[in-house]
Amino acid sequence: MNDEKTGEGATVVITHRLREGRQEEYERWLEEISPLSKASPGHLDWHIVRPIPGLSETYTIVIRFDTETHLREWMESSTRARLIEKVRPLLATDDDFFISSGLDFWFTPAGAKVKVPVRWKQCLLTWSAIYPLALGMPLVVTPILQYLGVADNHLLATLAVTGIVVFLMVYVVMPRYTRLVQRWLFR
């Protein structure tokens, strides 16, 4: 096995667009598949971004594994295949997913067939995006925590700041930033 598949971690981003009115059934399906995925060798993390009622019927599931090999073993397992067949009647579109290693999913537009940029560019771009967020978020979060009476709790403040920074990086900053600098990034 090459190092790319074994040593850097891997992420899969799965999107399921549901048929109207099928959310309750889908939530029950998530309760069935989630513990099986989490019990798979190398599983690290599982996050669900649920749809906004009245605006979207799309669920996004982000699963991280310690290696791409372990991730692919789960994605290609007979257990997952059986459960995907079970959920298919609830889906308006197919079981769409994108697999990446490391933080590559920040740098590759959804569905893109382009190569991933070199690591030093990924590092520089990520650093340049995180730096201002790491400086600015405490200035926003600290007054809110003071108002709530928990400003002296360093662990809670750090948890809040890092959670907001990661959310902004994944959902706001990196998708736009990579589009802005894509000529340089993919050159």
Coordinates of all heavy atoms in Angstrom, one line a residue, residues 8-48:
E8 N -2.5 9.5 5.9 CA -2.9 10.9 6.1 C -4.3 11.1 6.5 O -4.8 12.2 6.7 CB -2.8 11.6 4.7 CG -1.3 11.6 4.2 CD -1.2 12.3 2.9 OE1 -2.2 12.6 2.3 OE2 -0.1 12.4 2.4
G9 N -5.1 10.1 6.8 CA -6.5 10.2 7.1 C -7.3 10.4 5.8 O -6.7 10.7 4.8
A10 N -8.6 10.2 5.9 CA -9.4 10.4 4.8 C -10.8 10.8 5.2 O -11.3 10.5 6.3 CB -9.5 9.1 4.0
T11 N -11.5 11.6 4.4 CA -12.8 12.1 4.6 C -13.7 11.7 3.5 O -13.3 11.8 2.3 CB -12.8 13.6 4.8 OG1 -11.9 13.9 5.8 CG2 -14.1 14.2 5.1
V12 N -15.0 11.4 3.8 CA -16.0 11.3 2.8 C -17.1 12.2 3.1 O -17.5 12.4 4.3 CB -16.5 9.8 2.6 CG1 -17.2 9.3 3.9 CG2 -17.5 9.7 1.4
V13 N -17.6 13.0 2.1 CA -18.7 13.9 2.2 C -19.8 13.3 1.4 O -19.7 13.1 0.2 CB -18.3 15.3 1.7 CG1 -19.5 16.2 1.9 CG2 -17.1 15.9 2.5
I14 N -20.9 12.9 2.1 CA -22.0 12.2 1.4 C -23.2 13.2 1.5 O -23.5 13.8 2.5 CB -22.4 11.0 2.2 CG1 -21.2 10.0 2.4 CG2 -23.6 10.3 1.6 CD1 -21.4 8.9 3.4
T15 N -23.9 13.4 0.3 CA -25.1 14.2 0.3 C -26.3 13.3 -0.2 O -26.2 12.5 -1.1 CB -24.9 15.4 -0.7 OG1 -24.6 14.9 -2.0 CG2 -23.9 16.4 -0.2
H16 N -27.3 13.4 0.6 CA -28.6 12.7 0.3 C -29.7 13.7 0.2 O -30.0 14.4 1.2 CB -28.9 11.7 1.4 CG -28.0 10.5 1.3 ND1 -27.8 9.7 2.4 CD2 -27.3 9.9 0.3 CE1 -27.0 8.7 2.1 NE2 -26.7 8.8 0.9
R17 N -30.2 13.9 -1.0 CA -31.4 14.8 -1.1 C -32.6 13.9 -1.0 O -32.8 12.9 -1.7 CB -31.4 15.5 -2.4 CG -32.4 16.7 -2.5 CD -32.2 17.6 -3.6 NE -32.4 17.0 -4.9 CZ -33.6 16.9 -5.4 NH1 -34.7 17.3 -4.8 NH2 -33.8 16.3 -6.6
L18 N -33.5 14.2 -0.1 CA -34.7 13.4 0.2 C -35.9 13.8 -0.6 O -36.1 14.9 -0.9 CB -35.0 13.5 1.7 CG -33.9 13.1 2.7 CD1 -34.5 13.1 4.1 CD2 -33.3 11.7 2.4
R19 N -36.7 12.8 -0.7 CA -38.1 13.1 -1.3 C -38.8 13.8 -0.2 O -38.6 13.7 1.0 CB -38.8 11.8 -1.6 CG -38.1 11.0 -2.7 CD -38.9 9.7 -3.0 NE -38.2 8.8 -3.9 CZ -38.1 8.9 -5.2 NH1 -38.8 9.9 -5.8 NH2 -37.4 8.1 -5.9
E20 N -39.8 14.6 -0.6 CA -40.5 15.4 0.3 C -41.2 14.6 1.4 O -41.8 13.5 1.1 CB -41.6 16.3 -0.5 CG -42.2 17.3 0.4 CD -43.1 18.3 -0.5 OE1 -42.8 18.4 -1.7 OE2 -44.0 18.8 0.1
G21 N -41.1 15.0 2.6 CA -41.8 14.3 3.7 C -41.2 13.1 4.2 O -41.8 12.3 4.9
R22 N -40.0 12.8 3.8 CA -39.3 11.5 4.2 C -38.3 11.7 5.3 O -37.5 10.7 5.6 CB -38.7 10.8 3.0 CG -39.6 10.6 1.8 CD -40.9 9.9 2.1 NE -40.8 8.5 2.4 CZ -41.0 7.5 1.5 NH1 -41.2 7.8 0.2 NH2 -40.9 6.2 1.8
Q23 N -38.2 12.8 5.9 CA -37.1 13.1 6.9 C -37.2 12.2 8.1 O -36.2 11.7 8.6 CB -37.1 14.6 7.3 CG -36.5 15.5 6.3 CD -36.4 16.9 6.8 OE1 -36.9 17.3 7.8 NE2 -35.6 17.7 6.1
E24 N -38.4 11.9 8.6 CA -38.5 11.1 9.8 C -38.0 9.7 9.5 O -37.3 9.1 10.4 CB -40.0 11.1 10.2 CG -40.2 10.5 11.6 CD -41.7 10.6 12.0 OE1 -42.2 11.7 12.0 OE2 -42.2 9.6 12.4
E25 N -38.4 9.1 8.4 CA -37.9 7.8 8.0 C -36.4 7.8 7.9 O -35.6 6.9 8.2 CB -38.5 7.3 6.7 CG -40.0 7.0 6.8 CD -40.6 6.8 5.5 OE1 -40.6 5.7 5.0 OE2 -41.0 7.8 4.9
Y26 N -35.8 8.9 7.2 CA -34.4 9.0 7.0 C -33.7 9.1 8.4 O -32.6 8.5 8.5 CB -34.1 10.2 6.1 CG -32.6 10.3 5.8 CD1 -32.1 9.5 4.7 CD2 -31.8 11.2 6.4 CE1 -30.8 9.6 4.3 CE2 -30.5 11.3 6.1 CZ -30.0 10.5 5.0 OH -28.6 10.6 4.7
E27 N -34.2 9.8 9.3 CA -33.6 9.9 10.6 C -33.5 8.6 11.3 O -32.5 8.3 11.9 CB -34.4 10.9 11.5 CG -34.2 12.4 11.1 CD -32.9 13.0 11.5 OE1 -32.1 12.4 12.3 OE2 -32.5 14.0 10.9
R28 N -34.5 7.8 11.1 CA -34.5 6.4 11.7 C -33.4 5.6 11.0 O -32.7 4.8 11.6 CB -35.8 5.7 11.6 CG -36.9 6.2 12.6 CD -38.1 5.3 12.7 NE -38.8 5.1 11.4 CZ -39.8 6.0 11.0 NH1 -40.2 7.0 11.8 NH2 -40.4 5.8 9.9
W29 N -33.3 5.8 9.7 CA -32.2 5.1 8.9 C -30.8 5.5 9.4 O -29.9 4.7 9.6 CB -32.4 5.3 7.4 CG -31.3 4.7 6.6 CD1 -31.2 3.4 6.2 CD2 -30.1 5.4 6.1 NE1 -30.1 3.2 5.4 CE2 -29.4 4.4 5.4 CE3 -29.6 6.7 6.2 CZ2 -28.2 4.7 4.7 CZ3 -28.4 7.0 5.6 CH2 -27.7 6.0 4.9
L30 N -30.6 6.8 9.7 CA -29.4 7.3 10.2 C -29.0 6.6 11.6 O -27.9 6.3 11.8 CB -29.4 8.8 10.4 CG -29.3 9.7 9.2 CD1 -29.5 11.2 9.5 CD2 -27.9 9.5 8.5
E31 N -30.1 6.4 12.4 CA -29.8 5.8 13.7 C -29.4 4.3 13.5 O -28.7 3.8 14.4 CB -31.1 5.8 14.5 CG -31.5 7.2 15.0 CD -32.8 7.2 15.7 OE1 -33.5 6.2 16.0 OE2 -33.3 8.3 16.0
E32 N -29.7 3.7 12.4 CA -29.3 2.4 12.1 C -27.9 2.3 11.5 O -27.1 1.5 11.9 CB -30.3 1.7 11.1 CG -30.0 0.3 10.8 CD -31.1 -0.3 9.8 OE1 -32.0 0.4 9.5 OE2 -30.9 -1.5 9.5
I33 N -27.6 3.2 10.6 CA -26.3 3.1 9.9 C -25.2 3.8 10.7 O -24.0 3.3 10.7 CB -26.3 3.8 8.5 CG1 -25.1 3.3 7.7 CG2 -26.5 5.3 8.5 CD1 -25.2 3.6 6.2
S34 N -25.5 4.8 11.5 CA -24.4 5.5 12.2 C -23.6 4.6 13.2 O -22.4 4.6 13.1 CB -25.1 6.6 13.1 OG -24.1 7.2 13.9
P35 N -24.2 3.8 14.0 CA -23.3 2.9 14.9 C -22.5 1.9 14.1 O -21.4 1.5 14.6 CB -24.3 2.3 15.8 CG -25.7 2.5 15.3 CD -25.6 3.6 14.3
L36 N -23.0 1.5 13.0 CA -22.3 0.5 12.2 C -21.0 1.2 11.6 O -20.0 0.6 11.5 CB -23.2 -0.1 11.1 CG -24.3 -0.9 11.7 CD1 -25.3 -1.3 10.5 CD2 -23.9 -2.1 12.4
S37 N -21.2 2.4 11.1 CA -20.1 3.1 10.5 C -19.1 3.4 11.6 O -17.9 3.2 11.4 CB -20.6 4.4 9.9 OG -19.5 5.2 9.5
K38 N -19.6 3.9 12.8 CA -18.7 4.2 13.9 C -17.9 3.0 14.4 O -16.8 3.2 15.0 CB -19.5 4.9 15.0 CG -20.0 6.3 14.6 CD -20.9 6.9 15.7 CE -21.4 8.2 15.2 NZ -22.3 8.8 16.2
A39 N -18.4 1.8 14.2 CA -17.8 0.6 14.7 C -16.7 0.1 13.7 O -16.0 -0.9 14.0 CB -18.8 -0.5 15.0
S40 N -16.7 0.7 12.5 CA -15.8 0.2 11.5 C -14.3 0.5 11.9 O -14.1 1.6 12.5 CB -16.1 0.9 10.1 OG -17.3 0.5 9.7
P41 N -13.4 -0.3 11.5 CA -12.0 -0.1 11.8 C -11.5 1.3 11.2 O -11.8 1.7 10.1 CB -11.2 -1.2 11.0 CG -12.2 -2.3 10.9 CD -13.6 -1.6 10.7
G42 N -10.8 2.0 12.1 CA -10.3 3.3 11.7 C -11.2 4.5 11.7 O -10.8 5.6 11.4
H43 N -12.5 4.3 12.1 CA -13.4 5.4 12.2 C -13.0 6.4 13.2 O -12.6 6.1 14.3 CB -14.8 4.9 12.6 CG -15.8 6.0 12.7 ND1 -16.0 6.7 13.8 CD2 -16.6 6.5 11.7 CE1 -16.9 7.6 13.6 NE2 -17.3 7.5 12.3
L44 N -13.0 7.7 12.8 CA -12.6 8.8 13.7 C -13.7 9.8 14.1 O -13.8 10.2 15.2 CB -11.5 9.7 13.0 CG -10.2 9.0 12.7 CD1 -9.3 9.9 11.9 CD2 -9.5 8.5 14.0
D45 N -14.6 10.0 13.1 CA -15.6 11.1 13.3 C -16.8 11.0 12.4 O -16.6 10.5 11.3 CB -14.8 12.4 13.0 CG -15.3 13.6 13.9 OD1 -16.3 13.4 14.6 OD2 -14.7 14.7 13.7
W46 N -17.9 11.5 12.8 CA -19.2 11.4 12.1 C -19.9 12.7 12.4 O -20.2 13.0 13.5 CB -20.0 10.2 12.5 CG -21.4 10.1 12.0 CD1 -22.4 10.8 12.5 CD2 -21.9 9.2 11.0 NE1 -23.6 10.4 11.9 CE2 -23.3 9.4 11.0 CE3 -21.3 8.3 10.2 CZ2 -24.1 8.8 10.1 CZ3 -22.2 7.6 9.3 CH2 -23.6 7.8 9.3
H47 N -20.2 13.5 11.3 CA -21.0 14.7 11.5 C -22.2 14.7 10.5 O -22.0 14.3 9.4 CB -20.2 16.0 11.3 CG -19.1 16.1 12.3 ND1 -19.3 16.6 13.5 CD2 -17.8 15.9 12.2 CE1 -18.2 16.7 14.2 NE2 -17.2 16.2 13.4
I48 N -23.3 15.2 11.0 CA -24.5 15.4 10.1 C -24.8 16.8 10.0 O -25.0 17.5 11.1 CB -25.7 14.6 10.6 CG1 -25.3 13.1 10.7 CG2 -26.9 14.8 9.7 CD1 -26.4 12.3 11.4

